[in-house]
């Protein structure tokens, strides 16, 4: 007996996801995960608080020129991803937003890893981001207190550095600011 054809998930399937969960469509499959833990959200919130003011608003003499969103739906072809943090150069950000999602690939994405999402973030999602030309990717691991930086070159992710602990670092593409990584970790 032939195997039943697997149903390809659609945006409408996301309406069945409980409000306390996050739904994504990755490689045609509906992926449902719990909302992030406090440890995860601390890293996301602190990074957003450090990067957004100088790069989005030009505060503290920062360069401005970016638009950042937290936990926004991004539709890349048939995939619908919800990264922790996403950033677009202002000139690349869509002028008209007709849907609940954004169809322009970000210039930078930050995923904060958790035990339930780390494998998918490092495999399926990284592949999708590369395929659609996301220029920079940060993977933050609160449990191991590390931040990995990747840059896209010829459709391949190239490691640009691994930072961690209480280190102070200037991370591409945001070299103008120094980030105290110890602020990202609940344990620190």
């Amino acid at each position: 007996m032939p195997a039943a054809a697997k149903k390809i998930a659609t945006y409408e399937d996301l309406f069945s996801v409980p409000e306390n969960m996050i739904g994504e469509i990755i490689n045609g499959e509906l992926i449902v995960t719990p909302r992030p833990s406090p440890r995860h959200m601390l890293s996301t919130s602190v990074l957003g608080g450090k990067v957004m003011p100088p790069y989005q608003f030009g505060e503290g003499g920062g360069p401005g020129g970016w638009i950042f969103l937290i936990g926004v739906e991004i539709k890349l072809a048939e995939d619908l991803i919800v990264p922790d943090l996403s950033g677009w150069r202002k000139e690349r950000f869509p002028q008209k937003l007709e849907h609940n999602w954004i169809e322009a690939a970000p210039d930078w994405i930050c995923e904060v890893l958790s035990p339930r999402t780390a494998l998918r973030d490092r495999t399926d999602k990284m592949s999708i981001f590369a395929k659609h030309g996301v220029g920079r990717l940060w993977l933050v691991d609160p449990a191991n207190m590390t931040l990995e930086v990747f840059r896209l070159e010829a459709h391949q992710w190239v490691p640009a550095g691994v930072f961690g602990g209480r280190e102070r670092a200037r991370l591409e593409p945001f070299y103008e600011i120094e980030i105290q990584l110890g602020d990202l970790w609940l344990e620190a």
Side-chain angles (χ1 to χ4, degrees):
M1 181 176 217
K6 192 173 187 179
K7 179 186 179 280
I8 302 295
T10 65
Y11 192 81
E12 288 71 35
D13 293 324
L14 294 171
F15 294 117
S16 67
V17 174
E19 286 188 29
N20 64 335
M21 307 291 271
I22 295 174
E24 297 179 293
I25 300 171
I26 300 174
N27 298 324
E29 182 180 352
L30 177 63
I31 307 294
V32 179
T33 54
R35 292 219 170 264
S37 70
R39 172 188 281 177
H40 183 118
M41 287 309 300
L42 175 76
S43 295
T44 302
S45 299
V46 169
L47 266 177
K50 291 185 179 292
V51 173
M52 288 180 192
Y55 286 91
Q56 184 159 335
F57 308 111
E59 290 181 11
W66 285 77
I67 293 178
F68 297 96
L69 296 172
I70 298 170
V72 70
E73 294 179 346
I74 300 171
K75 190 166 183 356
L76 302 172
E78 300 305 315
D79 296 300
L80 187 120
I81 312 286
V82 182
D84 293 297
L85 291 165
S86 307
W88 292 260
R89 297 291 305 171
K90 271 190 180 171
E91 63 271 10
R92 292 194 60 257
F93 193 78
Q95 296 300 308
K96 290 180 91 175
L97 298 173
E98 299 177 9
H99 308 286
N100 200 41
W101 62 83
I102 296 174
E103 290 184 285
D107 295 292
W108 169 80
I109 284 180
C110 176
E111 288 284 14
V112 179
L113 306 176
S114 67
R116 289 190 177 174
T117 65
L119 179 61
R120 187 171 295 108
D121 288 342
R122 289 185 171 283
T123 56
D124 297 333
K125 285 175 136 183
M126 281 184 79
S127 176
I128 292 165
F129 298 151
K131 178 179 170 184
H132 292 280
V134 174
R136 300 287 192 281
L137 172 68
W138 292 4
L139 295 179
V140 177
D141 186 344
N144 293 306
M145 296 190 288
T146 59
L147 189 155
E148 297 172 78
V149 177
F150 296 89
R151 94 173 58 88
L152 191 64
E153 293 181 7
H155 304 289
Q156 297 291 317
W157 289 115
V158 175
V162 178
F163 307 88
R166 296 177 182 270
E167 184 175 358
R168 292 182 168 276
R170 294 182 182 273
L171 310 168
E172 63 179 78
F174 307 118
Y175 289 118
E176 290 89 351
I177 61 169
E178 184 174 77
I179 296 175
Q180 169 60 49
L181 295 179
D183 294 345
L184 306 179
W185 324 128
L186 195 58
E187 293 80 1

